[in-house]
Amino acid sequence: MTADTISGARPMSARRAAFVLGSLEVFGPLSMDLSMPLLPRLARDLHTSDSLAQASMSVCMLGLAFGQLVAGPLSDRLGRRRPLLWGIALFAVFSLLCALAPTIEVLLVTRFLQGVTGSAGVVIALAAARDIASGIELARLLSLLGLVGALAPILAPVAGGQLTAVLDWRGLFVVLAAVGAALLAVAATLLPETLPAGLRHPGGFADTGRRFAVVLRDRLFVCYLLVGACTGTAFFTYLASISFVLQDGFHLGPRAFSAVFAANAVVAVLGSLCNRAVVRRAGPVRMYAAGTTATAVTALGLLLAVLAGAGLAVVLVLLALVLFCYGVISPNSSALALAGHGERAGTAAALLGMSGFAVGPVVAPLVSLGGSAETTMAVTMAAATAVAGVLVWTTVLPRLRSAGETAPVGGPGDRNTVKRPGVPR
């Protein structure tokens, strides 16, 4: 396997795989970031609180989380294409229904269903990547895939900020529906089936439950889930709070906020680029451990800066460093967690995706019930990343060492084990 051609049911170039699969992973950030500049306006138009306006993001993320538990195992059974295409089509439909919501209660329901259907793109993209690559090459593919997927958080808030001149928040949901239709065309024409019929699981609910049980009995995988839940909490707290912190706390307008948010997303892209360049030499485990540790340290620095009353420039620099580290963590976390579960890639990817999506949406609105502020954001991010760092050094790395630094990183069946590179001593 090389960096230019990726094996699988039907070989694809790394660039084509990254473009197609990266495009499918934009459902999460696109659903959040396009409407983010207009959250304060949405709250005013629907006569609701800032907390409930943030909850419209939270319920969508919960839909993205729990929908993966259906779409992932379903793709192990039916193949990747059919569940994916149905999910994208329904995402476009529910986006239109969000645009028509007359009250915050209706919007919360339609946003949840929008997340459920959009989850197919998120989880199946990760499972398809595991179908066609493994080991360090999977980490490198996921880094490249992250670069494509990162275009959404870069462009979406900028586009959202500029569209505020001609569209209200309802118009932005119509734009989301159009994007869903475009992604449906991309998936239908450019993505082949990556899971051969011989590797699918024909069983019903009982077989699906057994596959979930097999994955959850992998204690190392569970450790990755817990770390992912913590980093997901920190990341979503940032997403849910930053528009209120910058616009209400630091008095930036929607367009200025969009530009700042896009600059932070560029930094996350640089983190993915750094990981892709270094991971072959350092190994995914070292990059993963270094990324989580640096994230915790930087988030603590952010908290100290906020408590000391540092200005906007200091806060933005530290937030950018946190996002750079996140760009390093994400591809290695997925590659390591999926390494031993090629035959259950959809099921494992569903659990992995849920760990990042499910906890953060619950925590973020709770920490801002008294009004969104940089202090509550910084406290939550620092606490979550600190727990993630402790878990990596006290559970993940010791388990890797006790396992002899080996792990299954072969092809889709994972019949062989090879030395896992880059375990810090």
Side-chain angles (χ1 to χ4, degrees), residues 13-40:
S13 70
R15 290 182 179 179
R16 177 182 171 186
F19 169 73
V20 177
L21 300 180
S23 297
L24 297 177
E25 283 211 328
V26 305
F27 284 102
L30 195 65
S31 298
M32 300 301 103
D33 301 342
L34 190 65
S35 60
M36 189 181 296
L38 288 177
L39 277 180

Side-chain angles (χ1 to χ4, degrees), residues 135-147 267-291 324-336:
I136 291 177
E137 292 305 321
L138 177 58
R140 297 187 80 242
L141 173 61
L142 291 176
S143 295
L144 189 60
L145 190 152
L147 299 182
V267 175
V269 170
L270 294 177
S272 292
L273 279 172
C274 175
N275 180 72
R276 179 170 169 80
V278 177
V279 70
R280 272 184 175 167
R281 180 171 53 193
V285 179
R286 280 197 179 97
M287 296 299 291
Y288 178 64
F324 179 91
C325 296
Y326 189 82
V328 173
I329 295 170
S330 183
N332 294 298
S333 174
S334 298
L336 292 170

